[in-house]
Amino acid sequence: MMHFAKLNPGSLMQKESRKVREFRRREQEILDSALRLFLEQGEDSVTVEMIADEVGIGKGTIYKHFETKDEIYLRLMIRYEEELAELFDRLNESGSEDRAKLAKDYFSFRMRESEKYALFDRLEHKLTNKTSCPELVARLHEIRASNMDKLVASIKAKID
């Protein structure tokens, strides 16, 4: 006689969400390690194998998360711009009318880790013309344009 274990839908959902959380955690770890290596050794000398070794995973696992090295570059750049967008959102939510503070915070954010800003500037010039991820380049430009619009509006209001 065969016995089948009863499937508990709740435990399946828990297991699945745990897998999803683990996948996202590993993806974040890959991005963090890649950024650290790019900043320390230069993006041209860092290979996908080096990133995998830094994370302690196989090279193939990297490709389960990212199709190309370009995608890693672009995801890092988008994350950077999203952090800046969050800064603008927090300032707007606080009800602060201090436009000078917004401009100061913008430039402080950009210059706080100037080597990261310089890395992303170099990467953007490399990727804009030859990327296999045009949708990520478009997303990066969309976020950056929105951030710039917020900054310009803030400075214009201060001037007026």
Side-chain angles (χ1 to χ4, degrees):
M1 174 184 243
M2 290 182 137
H3 293 282
F4 294 97
K6 281 190 175 178
L7 292 178
N8 180 345
S11 67
L12 285 177
M13 286 179 57
Q14 254 184 347
K15 186 175 183 181
E16 184 178 352
S17 65
R18 194 172 335 137
K19 280 185 174 183
V20 169
R21 282 193 311 269
E22 177 60 25
F23 186 85
R24 288 185 183 142
R25 186 200 60 76
R26 175 158 289 143
E27 192 169 270
Q28 189 61 48
E29 190 177 357
I30 292 167
L31 288 171
D32 292 343
S33 294
L35 177 59
R36 188 172 43 259
L37 289 170
F38 295 152
L39 291 171
E40 291 171 359
Q41 300 180 28
E43 66 278 5
D44 291 332
S45 62
V46 174
T47 65
V48 172
E49 270 184 274
M50 292 168 71
I51 297 167
D53 288 345
E54 179 79 11
V55 178
I57 58 176
K59 181 179 173 181
T61 303
I62 299 263
Y63 291 112
K64 288 181 181 179
H65 293 270
F66 306 97
E67 289 184 25
T68 63
K69 192 173 162 186
D70 286 357
E71 184 179 352
I72 294 172
Y73 291 151
L74 286 161
R75 295 277 301 279
L76 286 169
M77 294 164 66
I78 288 169
R79 183 172 71 177
Y80 180 76
E81 291 297 327
E82 286 174 339
E83 288 172 11
L84 183 58
E86 288 172 13
L87 171 74
F88 285 126
D89 292 343
R90 280 193 310 272
L91 287 170
N92 288 337
E93 287 170 6
S94 70
S96 171
E97 293 299 314
D98 187 359
R99 304 292 182 196
K101 180 174 177 8
L102 180 61
K104 179 182 174 202
D105 288 347
Y106 171 83
F107 290 109
S108 293
F109 179 89
R110 290 281 193 209
M111 301 319 297
R112 182 173 36 247
E113 298 175 278
S114 57
E115 64 280 350
K116 190 187 295 187
Y117 181 72
L119 168 69
F120 294 150
D121 188 55
R122 287 192 312 273
L123 291 176
E124 185 170 359
H125 288 289
K126 286 180 188 179
L127 294 172
T128 300
N129 297 325
K130 65 120 194 136
T131 186
S132 59
C133 308
E135 67 286 348
L136 291 177
V137 171
R139 176 76 180 127
L140 173 67
H141 289 166
E142 176 186 307
I143 295 167
R144 185 169 298 136
S146 173
N147 288 341
M148 191 55 67
D149 289 345
K150 292 172 187 174
L151 179 65
V152 167
S154 171
I155 292 172
K156 188 172 182 191
K158 184 72 173 173
I159 291 170
D160 291 344

